[in-house]
């Protein structure tokens, strides 16, 4: 079961599809193996970048069961939904199938501090004993949670064990939460998102790792290791080699298609298909990705 | 099957719950009978005011089947969802169960005209032969569709047979669409929402009826009849009697709880329960509703 | 100077223009006389419905000076702006010209409770001793202030003397604020907006009056008087006569043009011009307004 | 006068303030000299990152006049405002003072294609012969303009001579516009924003340069030169050295304070002051900036 000590790299997994848009179950297996091989200490499935919204309820269950059956690391399942009944239904299925915990983002309509904390009290009551991750992603949800609100959620809901941090900018938020903990607040795990664009700084501010889906999880695993070992300059050197592609993959709207292209190129999944409605990658975009990967590989070789 | 000739009052049905939040299936039966008795020519279920977002996928299917089993009028099923797979899954279930058609609102992220028309081409392809209703509700979805965009959607997708009109203000949109039809555009049915706040004017602009859930469907049925018969002043006289309550029930956030209170008071459903998270009606609110109903009943009696 | 005891009807004044879009200064004079004659106990100028955003800085100053020169009632000046420097500049000009106070709405980007209260501390410091009105209008600003946040703003900023209440729905907010005051919180004046759609209920919940621009201020003055005198049924009877037009004038986007049409028809201003970009009233809309006014006048006559 | 042939780097200038928040006019002089020395071929003032919204109308005029008096390169003045009268007032002042053109972003409320093109027809008519730049920044404005809409704006308004491109992602938009031009559409200048995060790719897609405010304009000037000379790998090598800081300065909310800190550190302005309300830089943030600059300088030295 997921708890406050979780650390490392929980990769946000994609959902693989066949060229016709059907679930590609074989690629689920190869993808899980790929992520684990590249250093993932956990996987998060059915997140926004897992195209959760594009799956039917039945398909979601298929993905959950297949991933859990293959994985040897803990699995977190995204269960965000417009209503509590759908959250409970998927969470129950996931936990029965062997998930380590679930993740919930706030619905877009929430505005005031009281609305937000009230919503998560309802969520926590709905989930019962299931450990859950608070997803803080204002760029997409439009919901802004101050450190004070996050701390209140952690205090009121002991089964909330982790913050998926992707406020942007959010470095000060990590520092504020860690300061509050030093003064007695309950400590939770903080794993960071945003495509790893700020991972070195996030680790130095006190994060426990990454929860994001950049197509080279080995970079994230190594940054976590190096910063943990105090080798900050080595971490930055490595990060800078990957940064041009990290940046390119972080483009809203297009980023997932770029990520799936790269994962298919690396053999993690069989097809780069993104489910409709989705943008197709133009030849120009593919050429840009290839140029960035070639430069990245060249710089990695030059290092050794 | 629903088609472009639909008219009258398609009541937006609530979803009845027991005091503990479970589905109240017995009240589904009484509610269907109530709506039909009060003049509904159709029912629309699993809409926003039907708390569709708060149901699990399984509960949605239960509601669809129960309503269709009891009803003698055509049933439209709201199938809006973040992705096409979920739309298809519920639409297929609904049509197999005997629904007359489905209704789809645009997801909140759509902005440009091309994004909107592209989305509905995908929806229409996904739905196949199923007749569908375009829900135009910018106050909630944030998506604004100009008359030009609506007309393009109707032209490109023959299976789109109806507009659920609740742009606000939207009287000019009705006129613009009817003018375009007079000049050769394909005619669709227009049923109007927004709690019936503008029903007399909407009918005079060319609407075919109402699709909204005001707790007195008999008022809407009578307005449709009177305006159709050219008895405009009589329609306005009747409308004005109900308007204070129409207005009160149209309050965002609180409106559904008020509507369910009134429906329970009228015996249509057994309990006024709104599923969590939901506001409770204060004593002051209940007193206001009661005062408005008492005055409404007084004025209706005085008429005869 | 405006203070916490303000009550009655502070009419939201329009800004009159000539047909070519230039300021119509002569109509400012007639409009002020009209509003005072119809029972306004104050005027609020340069609000959203005063087309403040469409005026140059110089024109704003002209309007402020002309209105204050003619009026015998206290004048509140809307000074909302993206930055504090512009707020201070207009507030200083207004107070030097003899305004009673100013009004400030939160910028649309504010989300968390702390952001909102922090913003208004900055505003209050910027305004110095100038009394100010907190405008709470989430439908337009997108900023939601819970009763707790409002109370904190009142407590922290003694120069904030009034709430322009147009949360929607907001009846519970009035009750919550009045309850808090009964338990010791500082009392401020509450004047209600939203085109007077809920004025009888607002008065019974504890509001001190109206601050909105419905084209028949005499109705609002009379409702305030009647509810104050305990003549609730008489207040409702009067309100119901005007409600069809209140509703029609409350249409977003189109409402101001309808209001100016009515004010021009009543002789308050010379021209119904709304500054570009603005919708023109169609013949159908004008016919609908005329029909509503005719019915309203008929029912008023029948009363006497 | 600005025209369609503009290219190179139009730096988005900051507005310098003294520690107490007053305008720092002496720093305007040093800043203009700094930008020109570092390769700016133009300056854009009173943009969003120029804190335009925080200036009074009078202060805006002071900034415009002072910058133009000192600069030898063309000056573009941001004139976005809620209404056309304010746009005209500032544009007229700017052009009389010797500006080369003005820049206008769409107001946040615009949604449909027709609303957007209609708005800019009004803007263009208001501006008369003044050349203007269309600012396309959906991340901040919320307004999305498809390539089709941009092309219509360019076709309808000959005085629109430039696109400030900061759609994100927007590489495909550049390609789409250049393709349309190849097929006969009117060509406009495209300068790119977004803090230069995608500058190499943007230049290769057909952009004419950059219009953004990264604190090292010499990098942008060199990227423009190198890509223009076909030295793509050299451009990427240089870009990659600056990218960690480009990324760090691109953080929403905090980015401007980081930029001003860096500019003050480089001697371009005397103080890093951002006007209230504004975030203060924490010690941790300053240490991060310093670490990034030290690494950047090290890598630049190692190159030579």
């Amino acid at each position: 079961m997921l708890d406050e000590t979780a650390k490392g790299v929980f990769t946000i997994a994609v959902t693989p599809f066949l060229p016709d848009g059907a679930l590609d179950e074989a690629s689920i297996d190869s993808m899980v193996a790929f992520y684990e091989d590249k250093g993932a200490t956990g996987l998060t499935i059915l997140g926004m970048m897992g195209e959760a919204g594009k799956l039917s309820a039945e398909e979601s269950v298929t993905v959950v069961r297949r991933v859990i059956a293959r994985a040897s690391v803990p699995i977190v399942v995204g269960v965000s939904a417009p209503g509590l009944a759908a959250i409970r239904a998927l969470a129950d299925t996931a936990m029965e199938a062997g998930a380590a915990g679930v993740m919930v983002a706030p619905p877009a309509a929430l505005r005031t501090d009281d609305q937000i904390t009230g919503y998560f009290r309802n969520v926590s009551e709905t989930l019962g004993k299931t450990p859950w991750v608070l997803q803080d992603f204002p760029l997409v949800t439009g919901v802004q949670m101050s450190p004070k609100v996050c701390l209140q959620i952690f205090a009121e809901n002991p089964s909330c064990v982790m913050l998926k941090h992707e406020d942007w900018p959010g470095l000060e938020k990590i520092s504020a939460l860690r300061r509050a903990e030093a003064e007695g607040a309950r400590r939770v795990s903080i794993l960071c998102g945003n495509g790893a664009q700020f991972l070195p700084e996030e680790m130095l501010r006190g994060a426990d790792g990454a929860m994001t889906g950049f197509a080279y999880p080995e970079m994230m695993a190594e940054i976590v290791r190096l910063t943990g070992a105090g080798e900050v300059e080595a971490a930055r050197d490595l990060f800078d080699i990957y940064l041009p592609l990290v940046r390119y993959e972080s483009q809203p709207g297009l980023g997932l298609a770029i990520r799936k292209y790269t994962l298919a190129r690396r053999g993690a999944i069989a097809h780069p298909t993104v489910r409709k409605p989705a943008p197709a990658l133009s030849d120009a975009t593919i050429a840009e990705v290839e140029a960035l990967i070639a430069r990245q590989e060249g710089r990695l070789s030059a290092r050794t």
Side-chain angles (χ1 to χ4, degrees), chain A:
Chain A
M1 295 282 271
L2 197 70
D3 67 23
E4 295 84 346
T5 65
K7 58 180 53 173
V9 178
F10 277 61
T11 302
I12 297 282
V14 299
T15 299
F17 298 107
L18 296 170
D20 68 359
L23 267 185
D24 176 3
E25 299 192 37
S27 281
I28 290 180
D29 300 348
S30 58
M31 177 187 74
V32 169
F34 171 86
Y35 285 145
E36 294 188 348
D37 183 55
K38 299 300 182 190
T41 57
L43 294 182
T44 302
I45 61 175
L46 302 187
M48 295 175 189
M49 295 304 260
E51 297 173 76
K54 294 180 185 168
L55 303 181
S56 69
E58 198 178 335
E59 290 171 328
S60 297
V61 173
T62 302
V63 170
V64 168
R65 294 198 174 133
R66 184 101 184 192
V67 168
I68 290 173
R70 298 291 156 158
S72 54
V73 295
I75 304 299
V76 174
V77 179
V79 298
S80 302
L84 298 172
I87 288 176
R88 177 182 329 180
L90 184 54
D92 287 353
T93 302
M95 296 310 287
E96 281 158 25
V102 301
M103 182 166 72
V104 188
L110 299 182
R111 284 289 173 272
T112 72
D113 289 3
D114 288 349
Q115 287 169 354
I116 298 168
T117 54
Y119 177 76
F120 284 109
R121 278 194 302 273
N122 275 321
V123 165
S124 207
E125 185 193 31
T126 297
L127 292 176
K129 294 183 178 173
T130 298
W132 59 280
V133 179
L134 173 63
Q135 185 173 16
D136 181 16
F137 196 7
L139 188 67
V140 165
T141 63
V143 178
Q144 293 187 25
M145 300 189 255
S146 66
K148 191 170 69 175
V149 164
C150 293
L151 289 165
Q152 186 178 341
I153 293 170
F154 304 149
E156 291 178 348
N157 306 291
S159 58
C160 177
V161 298
M162 184 188 287
L163 177 70
K164 179 179 195 316
H165 166 278
E166 47 198 334
D167 199 351
W168 187 50
L171 297 171
E172 292 298 316
K173 183 177 277 186
I174 299 173
S175 296
L177 295 175
R178 291 308 186 214
R179 267 198 309 272
E181 291 166 5
E183 291 162 8
R186 179 177 154 241
R187 189 187 197 282
V188 300
S189 171
I190 301 179
L191 299 188
C192 298
N194 275 325
Q197 293 176 85
F198 294 89
L199 188 54
E201 287 86 0
E202 288 161 346
M203 293 307 297
L204 296 173
R205 296 283 189 130
D208 297 303
M211 186 186 276
T212 191
F214 179 54
Y216 291 79
E218 62 266 42
M219 179 274 277
M220 302 190 283
E222 188 67 2
I223 297 288
V224 170
R225 190 188 68 76
L226 288 168
T227 52
E231 300 185 44
V232 176
E233 287 305 297
R236 290 188 192 275
D237 287 342
L238 184 72
F239 179 74
D240 288 357
I241 292 173
Y242 286 92
L243 181 55
L245 189 61
V246 164
R247 162 202 66 126
Y248 198 85
E249 199 194 271
S250 297
Q251 296 176 78
L254 211 55
L256 178 62
I258 295 165
R259 178 177 295 170
K260 283 189 146 180
Y261 173 85
T262 311
L263 288 172
R265 191 184 184 283
R266 300 192 78 194
I269 56 178
H271 310 281
T273 316
V274 179
R275 235 185 207 187
K276 287 198 298 183
L281 293 189
S282 68
D283 291 347
T285 298
I286 290 174
E288 285 164 352
V289 176
E290 290 292 339
L292 291 168
I293 291 176
R295 286 178 55 85
Q296 178 177 293
E297 291 178 350
R299 288 172 69 183
L300 286 169
S301 305
R303 247 171 109 231
T304 52

